[in-house]
Amino acid sequence: MADQSAGRRGNLMPQVLWFFFIAACVKLLLVPSYHSTDFEVHRHWLALTHSLPVSDWYLDETSPWTLDYPPFFAYFERFLSIFAHLIDPKIVDIQNGLNYKANSVIYFQRISVILSDLWLLFGVYRLSKKLEVKRRDLMWVLIIWSPGLVIVDHLHFQYNGFLLGWLLLSISFLQEGRDLMGGFVFAVLLCFKHLFAVAAPVYFVYLLRHYCWKGMVRGFSRLSVMGALVVAVFAAAYGPFVYHGQIQQVLRRMFPFGRGLCHAYWAPNFWVFYILLDKELAFFLRKVGFNIQVPSASFTGGLVGDSSPFAVLPQITPVTTFIMVLLALSPCLIKAWRNPRPGMIARWIAYAYTCGFLFGWHVHEKASLHFVIPLAIVAVQSLGDARHYFVLSIVSCYSLFPLLYEAQEYPIKVLLLLVHCALMWIGFSAQYAEDAVAGATAPAPAKKKVAQSNLKAAASDEGGFVIGWIGKIYLFGILVVEIWGQFLHPYLLGDKLPFVPLMLMSIYCSLGIMYSWIWQLRWIIKPT
């Protein structure tokens, strides 16, 4: 038995490619389905980077979908445009290709996302190569077969799998103690998508303490090497635009703070409750005779204004959200400084992205992937982590449902979520039932160690993978919210109050994400 396990552990690449092949087959079936305006955004970026010199990339306004990602992603689009031009030159025609919807562009872009997921696969492979078989396979299921990535990347259309591959690769290096490589890969990621910078404080504190804090001479030498490496990465990305005197234009494109606090569909975060409180206070004060001015912009009308209109509560600025994110992060930063353990880095990074999601400026619901995917690494470590992840991943996936609003995609997103739930339940049950048996049959000294582990600490009297009654009630509530929004609201109210279903979904999912944040925070601050 041990020989078989060793054999499976030693020949991982064909196995992980099998997982990728299954996922790719499903994604290919989804090629003709709905895609968002992001599909045209990325097609235009192919045309822009192929047709124009680098000096014009961040100046072009041929389309409303101007380039607003960092330079490495622009270079990535330029690389893809080489193959797009070979397949159909009109794909990369900046004038005549606007809103081009031929089968050639649909298949090219869909397949480009599928193939770019190979980088995610490499990150997962490096993270899991030393795990025992069941934990490794479970991690592959949670990440490679993630329904959130299928919805966001392969239906709605983006390249999050490719970007998250860089993040997982960085985490894998840090867990191995290869801090220099971990920092380098994270710097590269930031030059692909700047929104991952929410975890930069965690990286800075951890690397300073774990890698550089080694005495005056050695520490300064390591700090210099790390700093030079990061500067070199950013110079490679932004150097051409500094040379052309366009760095301010690039930064304005990357940080359009005028978009407002919230997206058209409220991402399930803290600001949902702030908005609701403001509206309730305005309603109450008007009722008792106060002259409360109603803002012209609306949060529930699906529009993104140039400001964040509140009737009663103070206006929220980007600086306010930045301070709140840092305050929420501070316990994690203190813990990373006091006890910089490589085994905790995935948990700390996931917590950082949870803070950014909850308290950040103009957060999209898609950003939940930034912490759900890293938490899959943590979910295979203990029973308590598995229970937390089970609920969180369902909430995250459900919060993405509004991205696919057309009727023909409804069965697809529901089926993806149900299959994910079944796979998680089967995988976690098999894993932790086996752990429980191993703990029960272990010799006395081993039993003592098991009793001290996270698994035993998290286990309930029932044993195995069981969701508590609060979790069951909450998950049942998701079903109630969905039935109301899809069936009862149209039947009972018709066209009245059309914003209510989305508002209920946002509020209810916000409760789940807030719970996850508190759960992670408690885990981080507890003594170790």
Side-chain angles (χ1 to χ4, degrees):
M1 192 74 176
D3 291 340
Q4 291 178 357
S5 179
R8 289 193 65 192
R9 191 177 288 114
N11 192 23
L12 294 186
M13 190 52 71
Q15 298 171 44
V16 75
L17 284 172
W18 181 86
F19 274 78
F20 174 80
F21 176 75
I22 296 297
C25 289
V26 174
K27 294 166 186 175
L28 285 171
L29 293 174
L30 301 175
V31 165
S33 58
Y34 160 84
H35 53 260
S36 71
T37 53
D38 279 344
F39 194 86
E40 170 61 17
V41 169
H42 287 278
R43 189 219 56 81
H44 178 67
W45 291 357
L46 290 173
L48 183 155
T49 55
H50 186 271
S51 305
L52 300 178
V54 173
S55 58
D56 290 341
W57 286 1
Y58 288 92
L59 299 175
D60 174 73
E61 294 185 351
T62 307
S63 163
W65 316 119
T66 53
L67 181 60
D68 59 4
Y69 272 32
F72 275 2
F73 198 89
Y75 301 153
F76 173 65
E77 294 277 9
R78 177 67 181 90
F79 171 75
L80 293 178
S81 73
I82 298 171
F83 304 98
H85 182 263
L86 295 175
I87 291 171
D88 183 350
K90 194 173 180 180
I91 296 175
V92 293
D93 189 321
I94 195 167
Q95 297 292 341
N96 300 321
L98 290 176
N99 298 310
Y100 188 45
K101 297 179 180 179
N103 285 337
S104 58
V105 67
I106 292 173
Y107 277 90
F108 175 79
Q109 293 202 195
R110 291 291 197 194
I111 292 173
S112 73
V113 177
I114 294 172
L115 293 178
S116 71
D117 280 349
L118 285 168
W119 196 245
L120 175 71
L121 194 76
F122 181 58
V124 176
Y125 165 76
R126 291 202 84 261
L127 275 168
S128 60
K129 62 183 180 180
K130 294 182 181 178
L131 293 178
E132 61 94 6
V133 173
K134 280 198 173 180
R135 294 184 193 277
R136 184 197 68 211
D137 291 351
L138 186 53
M139 185 186 294
W140 291 353
V141 168
L142 298 179
I143 298 178
I144 300 172
W145 292 353
S146 166
L149 282 174
V150 174
I151 289 173
V152 174
D153 282 6
H154 303 278
L155 287 164
H156 180 80
F157 194 82
Q158 281 189 350
Y159 289 88
N160 289 281
F162 170 72
L163 298 170
L164 287 165
W166 287 99
L167 180 64
L168 298 186
L169 189 62
S170 174
I171 293 172
S172 73
F173 283 124
L174 295 180
Q175 288 186 343
E176 294 172 359
R178 299 174 63 183
D179 292 345
L180 195 62
M181 278 299 298
F184 167 75
V185 173
F186 183 68
V188 171
L189 172 61
L190 296 188
C191 293
F192 272 104
K193 191 168 185 178
H194 51 300
L195 299 183
F196 283 93
V198 176
V202 173
Y203 271 85
F204 177 79
V205 170
Y206 176 80
L207 291 173
L208 181 63
R209 188 72 170 90
H210 189 261
Y211 180 73
C212 301
W213 209 257
K214 304 292 182 182
M216 181 66 71
V217 176
R218 188 182 177 199
F220 182 76
S221 173
R222 287 191 166 197
L223 180 62
S224 300
V225 171
M226 179 69 76
L229 199 61
V230 172
V231 168
V233 171
F234 278 80
Y238 293 93
F241 305 98
V242 173
Y243 174 78
H244 290 292
Q246 297 176 356
I247 192 64
Q248 290 186 345
Q249 172 67 11
V250 173
L251 294 177
R252 277 195 295 268
R253 285 282 183 87
M254 288 169 51
F255 298 98
F257 290 119
R259 288 182 178 176
L261 175 63
C262 293
H263 193 242
Y265 160 60
W266 305 346
N269 61 13
F270 171 80
W271 301 116
V272 168
F273 304 110
Y274 192 85
I275 294 167
L276 285 175
L277 178 59
D278 180 78
K279 290 188 174 293
E280 292 296 329
L281 287 173
F283 177 80
F284 173 75
L285 291 174
R286 283 197 299 270
K287 283 289 186 182
V288 297
F290 286 89
N291 183 23
I292 301 297
Q293 185 70 29
V294 180
S296 58
S298 170
F299 284 108
T300 56
L303 300 175
V304 181
D306 292 330
S307 62
S308 300
F310 294 99
V312 180
L313 296 178
Q315 300 298 317
I316 302 300
T317 66
V319 173
T320 306
T321 60
F322 178 76
I323 293 172
M324 289 189 65
V325 171
L326 279 183
L327 288 175
L329 262 177
S330 57
C332 178
L333 300 179
I334 293 169
K335 196 65 175 284
W337 179 263
R338 289 180 175 175
N339 189 13
R341 293 163 50 195
M344 289 289 292
I345 193 65
R347 194 183 296 274
W348 292 336
I349 289 171
Y351 175 76
Y353 288 125
T354 308
C355 293
F357 185 86
L358 278 178
F359 305 111
W361 179 267
H362 196 74
V363 173
H364 288 230
E365 65 283 348
K366 301 181 283 275
S368 64
L369 293 172
H370 294 182
F371 56 87
V372 171
I373 296 299
L375 281 173
I377 305 167
V378 177
V380 302
Q381 295 178 5
S382 75
L383 179 57
D385 288 313
R387 289 170 174 163
H388 164 251
Y389 186 83
F390 184 84
V391 175
L392 174 64
S393 63
I394 292 174
V395 174
S396 171
C397 183
Y398 180 62
S399 73
L400 300 173
F401 273 25
L403 291 175
L404 308 179
Y405 55 86
E406 295 186 355
Q408 61 266 31
E409 272 74 44
Y410 186 76
I412 297 175
K413 61 187 182 184
V414 171
L415 185 61
L416 285 171
L417 180 55
L418 292 178
V419 170
H420 179 62
C421 292
L423 290 173
M424 283 196 298
W425 187 269
I426 293 168
F428 286 140
S429 297
Q431 176 60 51
Y432 295 109
E434 182 178 279
D435 286 347
V437 171
T441 59
K447 284 184 180 181
K448 185 175 180 181
K449 290 182 181 179
V450 171
Q452 295 170 347
S453 69
N454 291 333
L455 173 65
K456 194 72 174 179
S460 68
D461 294 333
E462 299 171 78
F465 183 71
V466 178
I467 302 298
W469 64 272
I470 295 178
K472 291 176 181 176
I473 291 174
Y474 179 79
L475 293 177
F476 179 75
I478 290 179
L479 180 61
V480 173
V481 170
E482 183 63 10
I483 290 174
W484 170 264
Q486 288 295 321
F487 306 106
L488 296 182
H489 184 97
Y491 178 75
L492 297 175
L493 299 179
D495 295 332
K496 297 178 182 178
L497 305 175
F499 60 86
V500 168
L502 277 182
M503 186 178 71
L504 287 177
M505 181 182 292
S506 183
I507 294 168
Y508 199 76
C509 291
S510 297
L511 294 172
I513 302 294
M514 287 290 291
Y515 164 77
S516 171
W517 174 68
I518 294 169
W519 190 94
Q520 293 179 64
L521 179 60
R522 287 180 60 192
W523 213 104
I524 285 170
I525 63 178
K526 75 178 183 180
T528 54

